[in-house]
Amino acid sequence: MEEKKLTLADIPAKGKCVITRIHGHGGLRYRIMEMGFVKGKTVEVVKNAPLMDPIEYIVMGSHVSLRRSEAEKIEVVSVSDAASIEDEYNGTIVEENISLKNKQLSDEIKESRNTITVALVGNPNCGKTSFFNFATGLHEKVGNYGGVTVDIKSGKFYHNGYTIELIDLPGTYSINEYSPEELCVREYLTKNDYDIVLNIVDASNLERNLYLTTQLIDMNVNIIMALNMYDEMTAKGDKFDYKKMSNMLGFPIIPTTASRGIGIKDVLQAVIDLFESHQNLTRHIHINYGNDIEDAIVPIKKLIENNKDIINTYPSRYIAINALENTQSTIDEISSLPNGAEILALTKEKREKLESAYTEKMDSLISNARYGFIRGALKETYTPGEKGNTWVAYKADKILTNKWLGFPILFVFMWLMFEVTFDLGAYPQDWLDQLVGWIGETVSNAMPEGILHDLIVDGIIGGVGAVISFLPNILILFLFISIMEDTGYMARAAFMMDKLFHKFGLHGRSFIPYIMGFGCGVPAIMATRTLENKKDRLATILTIPFMSCSARLPVYLLFVGTFFSKGQGLILFSIYAIGVLTAVLTVMLLTKTTFKNTSEDFVMELPPYRIPTGRNVLMHMWEKSSQYLRKMGTVILAASIIIWALEYFPTDSETEQRLAQEIAQVEQNDQLSEDEITYTVDSLTHAMNAAHFENCYIGRFGKFIEPAVRPCGFDWRMGVSLCTGIAAKEVVVSTLGVLYQTEDPEDEDITDDNPKSLSNKLQAQLWDDGPLAGKPVYTPLVAYGFMIFVLLSVPCFAALAAIKREAGWKWTGFTVLYTTFLAWLAALLIYQIGMLF
């Protein structure tokens, strides 16, 4: 948890401190600085008023009083001898004469003074996250569609002697409260301390992007504009006098192409210059809303200014405009003020008068005035090129979103993605599988028999090694998903699917979280925040678990590769298709009952097509591979060791001891031939293994749940692996790897070059009892049913945690019960109906 910064309000009476920075917005900030509260100055606290507010201070030789709420905007460092520290910081005392304590405090002051907090604000798909990644060197998700950033991200880096902290806020078209993104950005900008707002603007769509800029101007914050994707604007032949626009708006505007890092250093230097006030870079302007609206704003603003606490948080003009727009959060805050009833009554009177005069809602009047200001500014600075909006970046839509060709192209692309994932990925997968087998055999030969040998060979290498070989397939899958995102094709897919989705009661935007769910359910669930309607959001969240995430892919690749010799890509595609179909049927059920008639109209931006940058694609693949490998070293490793321990212990059953003695007697019997000894020892060993599994902890648990999974065609080991898969779906494979590692099927059952591979062990398993005794446990029918169970069953703990965070405990419980029952029912029907044929 980040340590709370010390403010002037925290310093007790008679205490001294040094100012390190001033927070707050325009008018408040300048008023405080005009009174002498500037960076680097020493302040002495004289006393608190009888009611503890305001507080008297001495600064620059003058006695000044501040309200506590104003003092909280001044960040300080407390020192025992502030005057000495100030002198040291200013360099008037030579370095060798500085005490160690004061030197440390001086460094602390310098570090605090040289830290700049910058909030990134912009429309969805304007390049905020690309800017964030390039500036910070971090790897936040980037995609060519709206709603990539669905949470607040932060990253710190050093630039020219300053620590800059970038806060990447969700993309939003405005700062209202109609969507979770708008509310999140509004809350951050009004309730948090930051130094500068960096407004990222899509240069190829200026008029719409500048609407958000006008709202930032009303908030009276320090603004710098990054005119991003400037290369695309010039490619269209557009001309924009951004220097003239900068003079009109009163803040710096700097062209950038964030995906290639162009202009980012210029923006960062402007951030430092503005922070240090090196140049007269900004001036505050007012958006003129026309005489009638301005006449309504002024009296409301005067009443608001009687409340010092609220105008220390928001500019009074901004509050007045929001009150006129009838913004609920602003209305609620005003109602709590001493003269709140008077303000609200006047606001209502002015709003009704304007709406009556113009026969239009107040928020529309203000929006129209903002767009009027934007159009006027652009008329003086912007000249569109001849290519206009029909430029080459949209021409592909004639084919890719064509009424007759769009869906076939989409389905072919999806099929190709799964086919390549399986077929091309099979080569490196096989190499890794052989490498893991060689490592296991080498370690086994090098170590003496014993518990440590069994733990490393059977538990760790057998469990983790069974999963790691599927990494290449996952990388290929994410390569395709990254291409869909970065080119802009993902948004087109959502556009094409909207009409179909709407018939089922969903929004077309739900398609994007669904596709993301093929990668990982957690960011997919978070991405539902782009859906403005709460019930659309819930319906999508509850059905995302049916989108087959990459963690399930190792299970499919193991069983498809082992039990299906033909049409493997088609089998894999069918599993994903069943997941989508189940999601659709579940949505239909929900929208016919709980969420009846709730889906809203489809509104979504179709960004221009862009060529994916190698940096972004490789970054996506590295992020997922590192995430997968981290899971190897944490969840899967821990689960493999636990499963091995539960399978290994206890080791002292009477039956095992008796059979071990019989094996020893047979091996020492000189009257038997070598073949007879081998046959008898193998039989007794098999019996001893069976006795051990009957007695070990996981065997007892498996036998306990076997009656529930046996009707689906599963044995107890499969049941155990399904249970452990709740931790992470890859654990299903590692569990099977551990459980089958100690069993050595007879040589005649093995035809592969690698007799210890998990695939061969699965093929060699036979039923020990029941009507199927002596027959294979695993058949194509059982394998398919098992994969469907893994597909539909309860998602992993991380996904459940995301559902709980976004939807609450009630819907998390529903997800657990519904998915478990549905998975069991589907596997049961597949096996029982299949056995009839």
Side-chain angles (χ1 to χ4, degrees):
M1 184 175 176
E2 188 176 351
E3 184 180 353
K4 183 181 181 295
K5 299 292 187 181
L6 188 69
T7 70
L8 188 57
D10 299 322
I11 306 299
K14 307 302 181 184
K16 287 186 176 182
C17 58
V18 173
I19 298 173
T20 58
R21 67 196 320 167
I22 311 296
H23 295 290
H25 59 81
L28 169 66
R29 178 185 172 90
Y30 292 124
R31 188 172 73 250
I32 290 173
M33 294 174 67
E34 286 168 358
M35 295 167 72
F37 294 92
V38 294
K39 290 184 290 185
K41 292 301 178 183
T42 302
V43 180
E44 181 179 353
V45 184
V46 179
K47 63 180 182 293
N48 291 286
L51 297 178
M52 304 303 292
D53 201 7
I55 307 170
E56 182 182 350
Y57 299 99
I58 297 176
V59 59
M60 296 176 68
S62 300
H63 287 252
V64 180
S65 67
L66 289 181
R67 286 176 174 265
R68 186 169 293 275
S69 58
E70 295 169 337
E72 289 174 347
K73 299 294 182 183
I74 303 175
E75 194 175 312
V76 300
V77 175
S78 179
V79 295
S80 57
D81 188 356
S84 175
I85 292 300
E86 183 180 0
D87 288 341
E88 289 170 9
Y89 184 78
N90 291 331
T92 59
I93 295 180
V94 293
E95 189 75 19
E96 53 266 28
N97 292 333
I98 300 176
S99 68
L100 177 61
K101 179 180 178 181
N102 283 355
K103 179 66 169 63
Q104 291 171 339
L105 289 170
S106 179
D107 291 341
E108 186 179 348
I109 293 170
K110 186 175 180 181
E111 173 66 21
S112 180
R113 289 185 61 173
N114 287 3
T115 299
I116 310 172
T117 303
V118 180
L120 293 182
V121 178
N123 283 193
N125 200 46
C126 69
K128 276 188 313 84
T129 305
S130 292
F131 188 101
F132 178 91
N133 286 341
F134 214 102
T136 64
L138 299 178
H139 305 302
E140 193 179 342
K141 187 175 179 60
V142 177
N144 187 18
Y145 59 89
V148 174
T149 306
V150 291
D151 212 343
I152 295 176
K153 307 290 192 307
S154 67
K156 285 186 178 181
F157 61 99
Y158 298 96
H159 183 75
N160 289 351
Y162 289 80
T163 299
I164 299 178
E165 181 179 17
L166 288 186
I167 309 295
D168 188 12
L169 299 173
T172 179
Y173 295 107
S174 66
I175 310 175
N176 294 317
E177 50 186 14
Y178 300 121
S179 71
E181 290 79 21
E182 291 178 356
L183 192 57
C184 176
V185 174
R186 180 189 177 90
E187 285 288 307
Y188 182 87
L189 292 181
T190 56
K191 301 290 177 65
N192 291 271
D193 289 329
Y194 51 90
D195 300 297
I196 294 166
V197 170
L198 179 54
N199 183 202
I200 309 290
V201 167
D202 180 356
S204 62
N205 199 337
L206 284 171
E207 185 171 353
R208 192 202 63 207
N209 278 247
L210 288 173
Y211 183 86
L212 178 60
T213 306
T214 62
Q215 292 182 308
L216 294 174
I217 291 171
D218 284 336
M219 295 182 78
N220 195 8
V221 293
N222 287 327
I223 306 173
I224 293 175
M225 180 184 291
L227 194 63
N228 199 32
M229 305 180 198
Y230 190 70
D231 56 335
E232 293 186 7
M233 185 188 75
T234 55
K236 290 193 295 181
D238 298 353
K239 295 181 180 179
F240 180 48
D241 189 345
Y242 61 85
K243 293 181 179 178
K244 185 176 181 180
M245 178 68 87
S246 174
N247 291 330
M248 293 171 60
L249 298 182
F251 50 78
I253 298 178
I254 300 163
T256 63
T257 302
S259 61
R260 302 207 303 265
I262 298 173
I264 289 180
K265 288 184 178 179
D266 296 333
V267 172
L268 297 179
Q269 186 57 51
V271 166
I272 293 171
D273 290 340
L274 179 56
F275 178 74
E276 292 291 359
S277 302
H278 287 163
Q279 304 172 36
N280 188 20
L281 293 175
T282 63
R283 60 183 174 83
H284 180 60
I285 67 167
H286 285 166
I287 305 296
N288 191 317
Y289 290 101
N291 292 335
D292 292 339
I293 296 178
E294 290 292 338
D295 289 344
I297 291 173
V298 172
I300 299 171
K301 178 174 174 283
K302 287 182 178 179
L303 286 178
I304 291 169
E305 285 173 346
N306 293 328
N307 303 274
K308 296 298 181 184
D309 286 341
I310 193 170
I311 65 171
N312 284 342
T313 305
Y314 319 96
S316 55
R317 178 179 171 85
Y318 174 74
I319 302 169
I321 294 169
N322 275 263
L324 277 174
E325 288 183 293
N326 206 23
T327 303
Q328 189 58 48
S329 59
T330 302
I331 299 298
D332 292 341
E333 289 195 67
I334 291 176
S335 63
S336 65
L337 300 176
N339 63 341
E342 183 184 1
I343 297 172
L344 292 179
L346 178 62
T347 301
K348 183 179 179 182
E349 176 191 332
K350 297 293 185 183
R351 184 189 309 118
E352 290 177 349
K353 183 178 179 181
L354 286 166
E355 289 180 346
S356 175
Y358 287 92
T359 63
E360 197 170 357
K361 286 290 186 181
M362 193 66 223
D363 55 353
S364 295
L365 290 174
I366 290 179
S367 292
N368 291 338
R370 284 180 176 139
Y371 275 118
F373 172 84
I374 293 167
R375 284 191 291 271
L378 289 176
K379 188 174 183 180
E380 296 186 38
T381 57
Y382 175 73
T383 304
E386 296 180 359
K387 297 179 181 179
N389 289 326
T390 60
W391 65 303
V392 67
Y394 286 96
K395 288 184 177 179
D397 280 339
K398 293 181 179 180
I399 298 174
L400 296 180
T401 60
N402 182 273
K403 180 179 180 180
W404 304 108
L405 298 177
F407 279 108
I409 291 173
L410 175 61
F411 291 136
V412 167
F413 181 87
M414 299 298 289
W415 170 82
L416 182 66
M417 177 172 71
F418 299 124
E419 189 73 23
V420 173
T421 296
F422 190 93
D423 290 345
L424 184 61
Y427 296 102
Q429 177 194 347
D430 184 55
W431 301 334
L432 278 176
D433 196 38
Q434 291 181 27
L435 176 62
V436 169
W438 176 81
I439 292 173
E441 187 174 348
T442 302
V443 173
S444 179
N445 294 334
M447 292 185 67
E449 293 291 334
I451 186 171
L452 183 61
H453 170 280
D454 294 342
L455 168 62
I456 294 175
V457 175
D458 298 337
I460 296 176
I461 297 176
V464 176
V467 182
I468 197 171
S469 62
F470 299 106
L471 177 61
N473 308 84
I474 291 173
L475 288 177
I476 293 172
L477 177 67
F478 275 102
L479 171 65
F480 276 87
I481 292 178
S482 178
I483 290 172
M484 286 187 72
E485 292 175 347
D486 290 357
T487 57
Y489 187 56
M490 184 84 83
R492 267 67 184 185
F495 167 76
M496 290 188 290
M497 297 297 291
D498 177 64
K499 186 173 183 179
L500 180 63
F501 271 40
H502 197 69
K503 290 182 182 296
F504 302 130
L506 270 182
H507 196 283
R509 272 187 169 180
S510 297
F511 184 76
I512 290 176
Y514 280 161
I515 292 295
M516 292 175 68
F518 288 151
C520 180
V522 175
I525 290 166
M526 294 173 64
T528 60
R529 296 178 190 176
T530 59
L531 298 166
E532 296 177 7
N533 183 287
K534 181 180 179 181
K535 293 187 175 179
D536 274 344
R537 200 156 58 245
L538 275 175
T540 307
I541 287 171
L542 298 177
T543 49
I544 280 175
F546 299 126
M547 300 299 107
S548 194
C549 67
S550 61
R552 294 178 169 102
L553 189 58
V555 182
Y556 306 152
L557 295 174
L558 172 64
F559 281 85
V560 171
T562 303
F563 298 103
F564 297 91
S565 57
K566 296 181 180 180
Q568 293 170 327
L570 191 60
I571 294 292
L572 191 61
F573 179 78
S574 72
I575 295 169
Y576 281 78
I578 288 173
V580 175
L581 179 62
T582 305
V584 167
L585 294 175
T586 300
V587 168
M588 291 178 66
L589 176 65
L590 291 171
T591 52
K592 296 295 182 184
T593 55
T594 310
F595 304 149
K596 190 174 182 180
N597 298 324
T598 59
S599 186
E600 292 186 342
D601 293 334
F602 178 78
V603 180
M604 184 175 180
E605 178 188 0
L606 292 180
Y609 288 101
R610 296 188 175 103
I611 298 174
T613 65
R615 182 179 184 273
N616 283 345
V617 172
L618 290 175
M619 188 173 67
H620 288 171
M621 295 173 69
W622 165 249
E623 178 187 355
K624 293 306 172 184
S625 61
S626 61
Q627 184 182 67
Y628 191 72
L629 292 172
R630 282 196 302 271
K631 198 181 288 188
M632 296 285 174
T634 53
V635 177
I636 296 172
L637 176 61
S640 297
I641 293 173
I642 292 170
I643 297 299
W644 171 85
L646 293 174
E647 179 270 330
Y648 192 84
F649 297 104
T651 60
D652 56 353
S653 71
E654 293 181 2
T655 304
E656 289 181 76
Q657 291 177 357
R658 177 178 57 81
L659 290 170
Q661 291 173 358
E662 291 183 20
I663 291 172
Q665 292 172 1
V666 169
E667 290 176 338
Q668 295 173 5
N669 192 334
D670 297 334
Q671 298 179 359
L672 297 176
S673 66
E674 187 176 339
D675 290 341
E676 289 175 324
I677 291 175
T678 301
Y679 178 80
T680 307
V681 168
D682 286 346
S683 299
L684 290 172
T685 301
H686 183 77
M688 188 169 69
N689 286 336
H692 175 74
F693 279 118
E694 291 282 346
N695 183 57
C696 69
Y697 296 123
I698 204 164
R700 297 175 193 176
F701 173 72
K703 293 296 182 180
F704 173 74
I705 66 171
E706 189 171 35
V709 298
R710 189 72 177 259
C712 302
F714 306 158
D715 70 351
W716 68 268
R717 296 174 186 80
M718 300 167 78
V720 168
S721 68
L722 292 171
C723 292
T724 59
I726 299 176
K729 292 305 176 185
E730 300 97 332
V731 175
V732 172
V733 175
S734 66
T735 300
L736 292 173
V738 171
L739 293 179
Y740 288 122
Q741 193 68 26
T742 57
E743 295 192 6
D744 291 319
E746 298 179 7
D747 291 342
E748 56 265 31
D749 295 326
I750 302 298
T751 58
D752 195 88
D753 293 334
N754 182 10
K756 294 208 172 188
S757 72
L758 182 55
S759 294
N760 289 316
K761 289 181 179 294
L762 296 180
Q763 290 175 322
Q765 297 307 307
L766 304 176
W767 287 107
D768 293 327
D769 54 14
L772 297 176
K775 293 185 178 180
V777 173
Y778 293 91
T779 64
L781 181 65
V782 171
Y784 197 81
F786 186 79
M787 290 187 289
I788 295 300
F789 196 108
V790 171
L791 164 72
L792 303 179
S793 63
V794 58
C796 68
F797 285 150
L800 288 175
I803 293 173
K804 184 266 172 186
R805 185 171 61 248
E806 300 296 324
W809 281 112
K810 181 180 77 170
W811 292 111
T812 306
F814 169 81
T815 299
V816 172
L817 296 175
Y818 179 70
T819 55
T820 301
F821 172 74
L822 198 62
W824 179 83
L825 181 63
L828 176 73
L829 293 175
I830 289 171
Y831 181 71
Q832 296 297 338
I833 294 174
M835 289 298 288
L836 297 177
F837 299 97

